[in-house]
Amino acid sequence: MVVTVSAVVLLGIIVFILLRGGSVRAWPALACTGFGYFLASNGAAPVIADVISTVTGWIPSI
């Protein structure tokens, strides 16, 4: 749950900055898509949350 809330806040900040800057390209589009899935919590959100949890679990071992 902590990772999901942190991801929503981080992606929300990224989306806000990108919208203010006026540049929306490939990476910003991915950030917006991730933000939308976490915010909506639709059927794909648990899969995305699992992937992000797995990736964040790998970070300490790097």
Side-chain angles (χ1 to χ4, degrees), residues 16 36 43 47 49 62:
F16 177 76
V47 175
I62 294 177

Side-chain angles (χ1 to χ4, degrees), residues 21-49:
S23 63
V24 178
R25 296 186 182 171
W27 285 111
L30 289 174
C32 292
T33 302
F35 181 70
Y37 275 114
F38 278 116
L39 192 60
S41 294
N42 64 8
V47 175
I48 294 171

